[in-house]
Amino acid sequence: MSGTWYYIFTLAFFLFDYFILAMGLNIQYGETGILNFAYIGFVAIGAYVTGVLSLPSSAGTGQYYILGLSLPFPVNLLLGGLTASAFAVLVALIALRRLRTDYLAMVLISLSLVLYDVCNNYVPLFNGADGLYNVPEPFAAALKLNTNSFIPFFAAVTGVIALFMWFVMSRVTRSPAGRTFRAIRDDEVVAAALGKDVFRQQLKSMLIGSFYAGIGGGLLIQFSGSFNPTAWLPGETFVVFAVILVGGVGNNIGLLVGALLVETLLVHLPAFLPAIPGAPGLIEYFDAVLIGVLLMVMLWFRPQGVVPERARRAASFGVKARLGTAAGELAEHVGSARAPQATTEPVALTTEGSGP
Amino acid sequence: MTSVTMPETGGPGDGSVILRCEGITKAFQGVHAVNGAAFDVVKGQVTALIGPNGAGKTTLVNILSGSMTCDRGHEFIGGTEVTNWPSHRIARLGLMRTFQLSRELGGLTVLENLLVAPHQQPGESLFNVFFRPRLVKRQERAYVERALDLLDTYGLYRLRDNRAGELSGGQKKLLEISRAVMVSPQVLLLDEPMAGVNPALIDRIGGYILDLQRSGVTVLMIEHNLNVVEQICDHVIVLAEGRTLATGRLSELRQNEQVVKAYLGEVIDAGTDR
Ligand SMILES: Nc1ncnc2c1ncn2[C@@H]1O[C@H](COP(=O)(O)OP(=O)(O)O)[C@@H](O)[C@H]1O
Ligand SMILES: [Mg+2]
């Protein structure tokens, strides 16, 4: 396989993987309004757990980690996703129950820093700062894949998984459940006054989103065979935020566009460009700057993102249209409209009879 | 003597108390916003809650609807004590409210604002979404039918696909009322439904409230315009400094010196100016 194809399939993998990650953050932030600044922590949990479940027992590997069960793909991946979800329940019970959105955001940032320090420094858990490596490549032995053929193969696997997860997610967001999430995003107090159990719904949204984070993380470690703390610096969360803000909050297709623009073009493509002579690594250092500039430009000129959220139209429910005349005039001229026909007694609000 | 302007209540009102509060107290940093308010709201009636600015009317509505907790006191809906229940549980008992400053769900369409209102929808369960899609679809159609009828009645039908955030002030008031009505509430708390809207719309909203009463809804509304109170309210509660100062028909209250001194004097003047 030529170098070009290697690049293309690698880029495709990151596109699909960040599409999954963006869908997970979008249901939390874009749909439900939860500012989950610890998102990358859930990705890391998914990655580490997927890794230690597929690695053999750590004895004699030169690494230190828990479990080591040699579970096959995709069992390990699913368990990685579920572990991230379980962690979300814990976080929600601690932080979501009582805290307003802005405080919650701060608590979550702190939490991701704590998680980072633990994983980075407590070696017996996930091999500390060295992280996990030599993670078995899924199906590589069975399909006799070599290092070259594994990359297109696994990019395709990730594409299929992303497609399936997109299908599931769009069912969720288009359903009444998604509508209730958006009501909570727009105004928690109103949603509660409409009988919505806000905590329960936010918990549900956290669970789903964290599962997506965990799967996205699990795919990352399976693709590259390794995962260590440099892969999930807490600032990584903002790359995922950039993906959804650029692509379009609340629109699943927009997330794919966002993943393409931010993750593929800005984060990964520069790594494949030839280095500027005399300034090695300069292009990569500009990633963060470019993302920041793109974010500012977007928020300034097109805050709804490249592909904005689409509202579901009345006609799409397939019910008979009304004449729109029951209340008289056009609602735009509501002030001059007649009293509704149903009112048999016109209410004349003159001052007549207003004194004893 | 005001019976001329009183609508025939009729309907399901049998004189029983549907909403009761006893000694409700709420302080913000030591300032008593509500200080022992106590009153009954009779089923099937339209009751006005009046009182000077800062009397604690909005705070009381927030407490009664569960948007806020109270420090002391008791609240009953029907026979059930619901003191400091969370908002969503009170809503599920059939008490709905609107807000003094309109709080539309701005990112949702006008139609969706109504569709989201019914409590505990089958389609809110993801199990149903994936494994019982026909049930969800059938229920959705029923909601859409009802919502479109309501939007038609409230003159918002043509705006059904607009985002609620784009509506004018008066339209938002109508949207809030129709959203609350969407769930067929037993008790409706309206926080100044007619504040800041033009006189023609005041008439219309008055008409809607009377229609709701006819269909069996009990209404408690905060209202400053005494002409409106005169026209559509069966009963009046006067709140001053967080306490129930007096209750009764408006005509009776006008003869209550205390009430006139505390409140009515200024407002009667203001009211006749309009
Ligand atoms: N969230 C709050 N924090 C502090 N003070 C408040 C709050 N809400 C209301 N108040 C105070 O409580 C008193 C009653 O307010 P409110 O219930 O809005 O009166 P009303 O609706 O009768 O005009 C006022 O003095 C107001 O400043
Ligand atoms: Mg008020």
Side-chain angles (χ1 to χ4, degrees):
Chain A
M1 190 174 65
S2 76
T4 318
W5 284 105
Y6 169 85
Y7 296 145
I8 287 175
F9 284 115
T10 301
L11 290 179
F13 167 80
F14 280 106
L15 173 65
F16 298 141
D17 194 60
Y18 269 72
F19 181 39
I20 295 172
L21 294 184
M23 284 191 283
L25 184 61
N26 182 60
I27 193 164
Q28 294 177 349
Y29 172 67
E31 301 278 329
T32 322
I34 304 166
L35 265 178
N36 185 359
F37 284 159
Y39 191 70
I40 200 68
F42 296 89
V43 178
I45 289 172
Y48 283 128
V49 172
T50 301
V52 295
L53 287 177
S54 86
L55 281 162
S57 167
S58 67
T61 58
Q63 306 182 51
Y64 300 93
Y65 49 83
I66 55 168
L67 299 170
L69 301 181
S70 301
L71 289 180
F73 186 90
V75 178
N76 60 338
L77 180 69
L78 277 174
L79 290 173
L82 290 174
T83 309
S85 283
F87 190 68
V89 177
L90 201 74
V91 170
L93 289 176
I94 298 169
L96 213 51
R97 190 129 220 172
R98 283 266 157 237
L99 297 173
R100 279 204 343 248
T101 311
D102 36 0
Y103 291 124
L104 175 69
M106 284 187 264
V107 169
L108 285 168
I109 289 186
S110 324
L111 207 80
S112 75
L113 295 175
V114 171
L115 186 72
Y116 190 85
D117 272 352
V118 169
C119 294
N120 197 23
N121 296 318
Y122 185 62
V123 178
L125 196 57
F126 302 123
N127 209 29
D130 290 341
L132 304 173
Y133 48 89
N134 289 338
V135 178
E137 295 177 335
F139 307 118
L143 298 177
K144 300 198 171 57
L145 300 170
N146 60 28
T147 317
N148 270 345
S149 50
F150 176 74
I151 284 170
F153 167 75
F154 201 72
V157 168
T158 303
V160 171
I161 292 174
L163 193 69
F164 176 74
M165 291 178 85
W166 168 72
F167 171 77
V168 170
M169 185 59 88
S170 53
R171 286 283 289 272
V172 172
T173 53
R174 279 207 323 263
S175 74
R179 185 168 65 210
T180 297
F181 288 154
R182 289 192 294 281
I184 290 169
R185 171 196 69 189
D186 283 0
D187 194 327
E188 277 182 37
V189 175
V190 169
L194 292 174
K196 310 302 172 198
D197 186 340
V198 172
F199 173 71
R200 205 188 138 103
Q201 298 296 331
Q202 287 177 329
L203 182 61
K204 207 197 287 183
S205 170
M206 280 294 281
L207 276 177
I208 302 169
S210 305
F211 181 76
Y212 274 62
I215 296 290
L219 290 168
L220 275 176
I221 196 172
Q222 294 279 239
F223 181 74
S224 56
S226 64
F227 193 81
N228 63 53
T230 59
W232 62 289
L233 295 167
E236 255 331 272
T237 291
F238 296 97
V239 176
V240 190
F241 266 104
V243 168
I244 71 174
L245 288 172
V246 168
V249 168
N251 186 312
N252 292 321
I253 292 299
L255 303 179
L256 186 62
V257 175
L260 181 71
L261 290 176
V262 175
E263 179 61 19
T264 312
L265 296 186
L266 287 186
V267 176
H268 285 282
L269 194 58
F272 294 121
L273 295 178
I276 296 170
L282 184 65
I283 293 178
E284 278 122 284
Y285 284 127
F286 265 104
D287 286 357
V289 177
L290 283 178
I291 291 175
V293 169
L294 181 63
L295 256 185
M296 279 191 285
V297 169
M298 286 300 298
L299 291 176
W300 193 262
F301 291 106
R302 201 173 161 83
Q304 70 274 39
V306 176
V307 192
E309 180 174 301
R310 280 217 336 257
R312 179 148 187 204
R313 309 212 146 257
S316 70
F317 289 97
V319 301
K320 190 167 56 58
R322 271 57 176 169
L323 294 173
T325 50
E329 303 293 303
L330 257 183
E332 282 86 348
H333 311 294
V334 106
S336 57
R338 297 186 305 270
Q341 293 162 354
T343 313
T344 47
E345 263 170 316
V347 194
L349 295 171
T350 55
T351 52
E352 137 214 20
S354 68
Chain B
M1 104 220 93
T2 43
S3 58
V4 189
T5 52
M6 283 296 172
E8 289 299 317
T9 316
D14 54 5
S16 66
V17 173
I18 194 163
L19 176 67
R20 161 171 292 172
C21 50
E22 294 175 352
I24 303 257
T25 300
K26 171 83 182 178
F28 296 109
Q29 290 103 36
V31 179
H32 280 84
V34 182
N35 198 359
F39 56 80
D40 289 347
V41 174
V42 175
K43 191 170 177 192
Q45 288 193 343
V46 178
T47 302
L49 182 59
I50 66 173
N53 271 327
K57 305 181 295 296
T58 296
T59 307
L60 196 54
V61 163
N62 284 337
I63 291 167
L64 294 178
S65 62
S67 303
M68 253 179 210
T69 56
C70 63
D71 304 332
R72 251 172 294 140
H74 303 275
E75 178 190 3
F76 300 88
I77 297 176
T80 315
E81 171 151 16
V82 298
T83 313
N84 289 347
W85 276 23
S87 210
H88 66 271
R89 289 186 62 200
I90 290 183
R92 289 174 191 178
L93 274 186
L95 184 145
M96 301 298 284
R97 57 134 350 146
T98 64
F99 293 85
Q100 181 170 356
L101 301 171
S102 297
R103 291 178 86 152
E104 73 289 349
L105 300 167
L108 271 58
T109 66
V110 167
L111 175 64
E112 283 177 317
N113 262 265
L114 268 65
L115 295 181
V116 80
H119 314 143
Q120 296 176 288
Q121 307 182 11
E124 284 175 346
S125 144
L126 292 178
F127 178 85
N128 288 339
V129 169
F130 287 102
F131 300 106
R132 303 173 71 187
R134 301 249 304 276
L135 168 76
V136 173
K137 200 163 181 187
R138 195 158 6 101
Q139 184 64 68
E140 277 287 278
R141 285 179 69 122
Y143 289 148
V144 173
E145 295 281 1
R146 177 165 169 77
L148 291 181
D149 284 342
L150 273 173
L151 291 177
D152 204 6
T153 305
Y154 282 79
L156 296 171
Y157 181 75
R158 283 168 206 247
L159 298 167
R160 61 195 179 281
D161 287 330
N162 287 52
R163 291 205 199 261
E166 301 162 358
L167 299 189
S168 72
Q171 291 163 347
K172 286 178 181 175
K173 292 263 179 197
L174 290 172
L175 178 64
E176 274 210 37
I177 299 173
S178 56
R179 187 175 65 195
V181 170
M182 178 73 190
V183 301
S184 311
Q186 282 200 63
V187 186
L188 191 54
L189 307 187
L190 303 173
D191 194 348
E192 304 203 18
M194 305 181 186
V197 302
N198 64 47
L201 186 52
I202 289 181
D203 279 8
R204 251 172 81 161
I205 294 176
Y208 291 134
I209 292 171
L210 290 177
D211 284 346
L212 287 169
Q213 180 188 27
R214 266 184 221 104
S215 66
V217 181
T218 306
V219 178
L220 174 67
M221 59 187 281
I222 298 177
E223 185 49 63
H224 280 298
N225 185 335
L226 290 188
N227 296 320
V228 171
V229 172
E230 181 109 61
Q231 298 291 324
I232 68 173
C233 298
D234 305 299
H235 193 78
V236 178
I237 297 161
V238 186
L239 204 69
E241 295 172 0
R243 259 182 275 265
T244 315
L245 191 62
T247 63
R249 297 199 153 220
L250 189 59
S251 52
E252 295 159 10
L253 296 176
R254 284 206 157 99
Q255 279 142 12
N256 182 329
E257 235 172 83
Q258 228 190 336
V259 174
V260 172
K261 227 165 62 198
Y263 174 61
L264 290 183
E266 43 168 317
V267 176
I268 285 174
D269 298 342
T272 38
D273 282 352
R274 290 225 203 167

